[in-house]
Amino acid sequence: MAGTEQSIDPITFEVVRNKLQAITEEQAITLKSVSGSPVVTEATDFNNGLYLVDGSIVTMGPQVLFHTGTMSSVIRSINENFSENPGISEGDMFILNDPYRGAIHQPDVSIVAPVFHNGRHVAWAGSCAHQLDVGGMSFGSWAIGATEIQQEAMLLPGIKLVEGGVLRQDLWQMIMGMTRLPHMLGLDLKAMIAANNVAARRLVELMDRYGGDTVDAIMRGEIANSERQIRDLLRSLPDGVFRARDYIEHDGHQNVLYQVCVTATKKGDCLTLDLTGTSPQAPGFINCTASGMRGAAMTGLLPILAPQIRWNEGIMNAVDFVAPEGILCNASWPAPVSSGTISTAWIVQNVVVAALSRMVTCSPELSCEGQAVTKGHMMVMTLAGLDRDGAPFGTFLLDSTAGGGGAFNDHDGLDGSGDYCVPRPAIANVEANEANGPFLYLYRSFVRDTGGPGRQRGGAGTSLAIVPYGTPGLHAMMLGHGVEVPNSVGQFGGLPGACGRNFMLKDAGDPEFVAGLAGDLEEILDLNVEELGAKPGRMWLSSRDVLGYAFQGGGGYGDALKRDPEAVRADVLNGHVSVAAARSQYGVALSNDGIDHAATEVLRGEIRSRRLGGTVPARAAGSGDMRISSSRFSCDCGCDLGPTNGNWKEHARSYRVEATSYGEHIRTHVDLELYEHVCTECGSLLEAEVVRKGDAPLVTLMLDAEWSGDMPTQPYERSSANAAA
């Protein structure tokens, strides 16, 4: 059979491309079946994929998207550094976790295998999974306090772990000697080897059946098709500049504030993501390298710009990156990076989501894909010590994936949505975690008033607390960000979701008493807990101590005063919004009989007047968000906000607000403040912004002067075709 895309009949093309995706799915099933780590089996913190010889992504799984984006960098690094010595041969597999050679951080270990057909190198199969411990100064290899990468963990630059189908025992024993949990790491690495073997075998079988040239042409055709579709989509959007910025507190040494900025410039069928303006790299472990930046940007981009395009390298071929060396998201050796995946890379994802969501809002067909930021932070809790039988124990809890989803313009964000970077999210059952370790959950539940208020509400965040049980105590470590930064920013007047929180209740009582607190969230949180901040670091947790954390909610979409009062009442009844927040944030007055509509109208008018400095609004507010028409920005009340190639905020009323006005769950770093930008005619909130003190508000949306399309003025109604997709 001929081996060009044009000569392949459509049925063969569809059969083979679906088989390629099925191979990747079988990779994931194999990895989960062999692995014994709850990080893989319960929380699915892994991914698999097939790649061209040059490292281009052909297929990818729906697990952690960061991993697939970085594995392409891993393969390119191996091609560049090891194609001659030690050489790439049939039956080989390479292991890499060096962030300066393609990994996102050291615990995310990749094993990649070249695939050969009839003696010719035709592809790569890759697997990546988070490991519970890969050595270094701290259990879990989260090296708080590190000043250089050599302190953080073992660094594997792409060594040939499997040679000619045989596991190299010298290297295997060296790696096992550098981890605190060799039984866990060993099983995970063998699971990845097994997954790659399955993928390679299936791909060879496919090439035997249809011909190597045919399958190769289809893989390349898939990439070309996706690139063609993404470029067609970009051409349908207005040319312009879309900006976002976000912040990280505490670098592992001091509570210093850092920022990540992105300028997304769309011109014709090309998109440029410029990270200029991001803070210089930090002395602590929050940095990420260029591969982490690329993987995070891809993660933010795919669901927004390519919801109906097959995800592969073709999409990224339409994207250019600008990132000066030595900044937070393109760190230079030997800057520490072990927390990069949950710090700077996470923030890169946030700003790409925010900027591109503003871009697609200009398209009626794509506006439903834009959203507020989903759970804009990550918190890590590791536990280590002796289990109930006296054997070594260690785990990494991933319950913190259960934050709140960002709201869309046509529906609320999901409560406990899972992380944005995991399209197929999972969370371990409480019972599974308790069975695997010597600790008990006192509760794991939603927290009221954590979803960002908006016309569409952000998803509610969650919280949990644990206590050691059946053991004298455990060594714990907690770190992350977003305790003093509301990272889950809203869109078009939506308020940010709640900040995260870390807390401890010391010497709460004997183990039986503490266990008796189980399930009573309010009782625990009302006790005299110690607030631990963003990076508590290492601590000893006795069987009398309670350790807990809460996770950010999702950002809201649109002005909360435009939310249907019945939806607010439903939120109060289901426990996601308090009566007080219904009144202060949504302007909804509730009574025993339901909604007091007259009082609600008065209350919302008072809030709008307060936004205008005490002036009565000159116009009635509409029910939608900002709009674009005839190359002008305007509020949905009709108030003109200037030309689309200008800064609409210059035509709004802007003022600073206290974090306390957004409720008890919003806190700001000493170097941050909150601003609101409102329509001068109707008092609608157009944007709530987090700004470093002394900085000007960001020009978030600016279109080329010649563009004259229309932005939706009402929540977008999905067609049946879109709903099915």
Side-chain angles (χ1 to χ4, degrees):
M1 184 178 289
T4 65
E5 182 187 353
Q6 291 76 16
S7 64
I8 300 170
D9 67 271
I11 293 177
T12 299
F13 192 98
E14 285 298 303
V15 169
V16 172
R17 80 158 185 87
N18 278 285
K19 180 60 177 175
L20 292 169
Q21 194 62 54
I23 291 171
T24 299
E25 185 70 19
E26 190 175 359
Q27 276 182 281
I29 293 170
T30 303
L31 200 158
K32 290 189 71 172
S33 298
V34 178
S35 171
S37 168
V39 174
V40 172
T41 60
E42 301 287 340
T44 65
D45 191 351
F46 70 91
N47 215 331
N48 309 94
L50 295 175
Y51 301 80
L52 295 181
V53 173
D54 68 357
S56 297
I57 303 166
V58 177
T59 61
M60 55 191 291
Q63 289 82 29
V64 177
L65 300 185
F66 284 160
H67 298 334
T68 303
T70 55
M71 263 194 292
S72 60
S73 299
V74 165
I75 292 168
R76 291 183 174 107
S77 174
I78 291 170
N79 282 336
E80 178 183 353
N81 292 291
F82 302 116
S83 59
E84 298 297 329
N85 182 16
I88 299 170
S89 304
E90 189 167 0
D92 294 345
M93 292 196 197
F94 295 82
I95 182 170
L96 188 150
N97 79 329
D98 186 341
Y100 288 96
R101 291 178 178 250
I104 190 168
H105 73 151
Q106 298 91 322
D108 287 334
V109 178
S110 293
I111 297 182
V112 296
V115 181
F116 284 76
H117 182 250
N118 294 334
R120 182 168 65 95
H121 185 190
V122 294
W124 290 85
S127 298
C128 179
H130 184 96
Q131 302 306 307
L132 288 174
D133 185 81
V134 288
M137 63 196 297
S138 302
F139 171 77
S141 308
W142 307 91
I144 188 169
T147 58
E148 57 188 6
I149 193 169
Q150 291 90 346
Q151 298 169 324
E152 297 187 296
M154 69 172 99
L155 285 176
L156 305 173
I159 62 176
K160 190 181 291 189
L161 183 62
V162 178
E163 187 169 20
V166 178
L167 183 67
R168 290 190 54 179
Q169 283 299 320
D170 54 347
L171 297 179
W172 181 265
Q173 292 183 29
M174 180 192 75
I175 293 170
M176 292 304 108
M178 290 190 285
T179 175
R180 298 170 179 86
L181 296 173
H183 58 296
M184 282 290 192
L185 178 62
L187 196 55
D188 262 5
L189 298 187
K190 289 184 177 180
M192 288 190 275
I193 291 171
N196 289 345
N197 279 332
V198 167
R201 184 164 61 248
R202 295 290 185 261
L203 185 57
V204 169
E205 291 170 354
L206 192 65
M207 289 184 165
D208 285 342
R209 180 172 182 179
Y210 292 96
D213 289 344
T214 296
V215 174
D216 182 75
I218 291 171
M219 290 194 294
R220 296 177 187 278
E222 272 286 87
I223 293 173
N225 285 344
S226 292
E227 180 174 354
R228 188 160 48 245
Q229 292 176 65
I230 193 68
R231 290 191 185 278
D232 286 346
L233 181 144
L234 288 170
R235 277 191 291 269
S236 73
L237 292 167
D239 289 345
V241 176
F242 311 88
R243 296 184 179 89
R245 66 185 169 197
D246 198 359
Y247 304 90
I248 308 172
E249 78 274 44
H250 209 300
D251 58 20
H253 298 287
Q254 300 181 66
N255 193 12
V256 178
L257 189 71
Y258 297 83
Q259 70 181 23
V260 175
C261 304
V262 69
T263 299
T265 302
K266 188 256 134 180
K267 190 75 172 176
D269 64 357
C270 297
L271 176 67
T272 298
L273 298 178
D274 188 344
L275 282 298
T276 302
T278 297
S279 298
Q281 66 190 47
F285 67 155
I286 64 172
N287 306 287
C288 78
T289 60
S291 58
M293 174 192 67
R294 183 181 185 275
M298 185 188 79
T299 298
L301 179 152
L302 291 177
I304 295 174
L305 291 186
Q308 299 183 43
I309 302 174
R310 290 190 283 276
W311 293 354
N312 57 46
E313 192 74 24
I315 294 170
M316 299 309 293
N317 287 342
V319 182
D320 294 320
F321 287 92
V322 177
E325 289 189 14
I327 62 173
L328 204 65
C329 58
N330 187 15
S332 299
W333 178 278
V337 294
S338 59
S339 183
T341 183
I342 64 161
S343 298
T344 296
W346 206 275
I347 298 299
V348 170
Q349 171 191 263
N350 289 354
V351 295
V352 170
V353 167
L356 298 187
S357 290
R358 292 173 179 132
M359 183 171 76
V360 298
T361 302
C362 301
S363 164
E365 292 77 20
L366 282 175
S367 64
C368 61
E369 306 301 342
Q371 67 174 116
V373 172
T374 290
K375 203 203 86 177
H377 82 146
M378 184 65 173
M379 295 301 306
V380 166
M381 180 190 289
T382 65
L383 301 170
L386 299 178
D387 65 17
R388 298 180 184 94
D389 299 320
F393 162 77
T395 193
F396 165 33
L397 291 189
L398 278 167
D399 301 57
S400 53
T401 59
F408 295 77
N409 79 338
D410 64 341
H411 65 281
D412 292 347
L414 293 174
D415 302 315
S417 66
D419 287 329
Y420 187 90
C421 57
V422 189
R424 190 184 292 173
I427 185 172
N429 291 325
V430 165
E431 294 81 4
N433 279 345
E434 290 180 335
N436 287 327
F439 60 93
L440 294 178
Y441 283 78
L442 300 186
Y443 70 87
R444 186 173 77 184
S445 61
F446 292 118
V447 181
R448 194 165 46 221
D449 295 334
T450 51
R455 177 172 52 78
Q456 305 294 342
R457 175 178 60 81
T462 58
S463 178
L464 65 86
I466 62 159
V467 61
Y469 196 75
T471 185
L474 293 168
H475 295 280
M477 186 184 67
M478 298 183 72
L479 54 92
H481 65 96
V483 171
E484 297 178 316
V485 180
N487 303 105
S488 300
V489 296
Q491 285 278 13
F492 296 106
L495 298 188
C499 289
R501 182 185 181 195
N502 302 318
F503 57 90
M504 176 182 277
L505 181 61
K506 293 289 291 182
D507 199 24
D510 63 64
E512 297 303 324
F513 170 78
V514 174
L517 294 173
D520 198 334
L521 165 65
E522 297 298 333
E523 181 177 352
I524 294 170
L525 294 184
D526 285 344
L527 294 173
N528 187 26
V529 298
E530 176 187 356
E531 299 295 338
L532 300 178
K535 292 180 174 63
R538 295 175 287 272
M539 65 193 82
W540 171 252
L541 190 65
S542 80
S543 59
R544 299 172 62 89
D545 300 333
V546 175
L547 185 62
Y549 54 168
F551 321 124
Q552 290 191 359
Y557 199 110
D559 186 354
L561 298 187
K562 298 177 181 181
R563 185 164 177 81
D564 183 349
E566 288 293 346
V568 177
R569 179 172 179 267
D571 288 337
V572 171
L573 293 176
N574 67 25
H576 287 320
V577 174
S578 66
V579 172
R583 185 177 184 88
S584 63
Q585 305 301 329
Y586 293 94
V588 174
L590 299 174
S591 66
N592 293 335
D593 298 327
I595 299 168
D596 186 333
H597 290 282
T600 294
E601 185 175 352
V602 171
L603 186 57
R604 288 183 164 182
E606 290 174 348
I607 294 173
R608 290 192 178 96
S609 178
R610 185 166 64 248
R611 291 173 177 173
L612 295 175
T615 303
V616 176
R619 300 179 187 234
S623 59
D625 309 315
M626 279 180 61
R627 64 187 183 188
I628 302 170
S629 183
S630 301
S631 297
R632 307 287 294 184
F633 289 123
S634 64
C635 176
D636 73 337
C637 75
C639 175
D640 183 75
L641 295 171
T644 56
N645 64 341
N647 179 11
W648 66 264
K649 291 180 182 177
E650 294 177 350
H651 303 270
R653 181 174 188 266
S654 302
Y655 52 88
R656 188 175 64 84
V657 296
E658 296 296 331
T660 53
S661 68
Y662 287 175
E664 62 176 319
H665 300 299
I666 298 293
R667 294 172 294 278
T668 53
H669 187 274
V670 65
D671 291 331
L672 286 178
E673 52 193 7
L674 299 173
Y675 271 83
E676 290 186 346
H677 309 283
V678 303
C679 171
T680 58
E681 296 290 327
C682 71
S684 289
L685 180 57
L686 303 175
E687 185 178 325
E689 185 175 9
V690 184
V691 183
R692 184 195 290 267
K693 289 180 179 177
D695 286 353
L698 194 64
V699 182
T700 52
L701 178 63
M702 184 180 291
L703 306 181
D704 284 3
E706 63 268 20
W707 190 81
S708 59
D710 288 322
M711 189 164 78
T713 60
Q714 300 292 333
Y716 178 73
E717 294 184 5
R718 295 169 184 255
S719 67
S720 57
N722 282 332

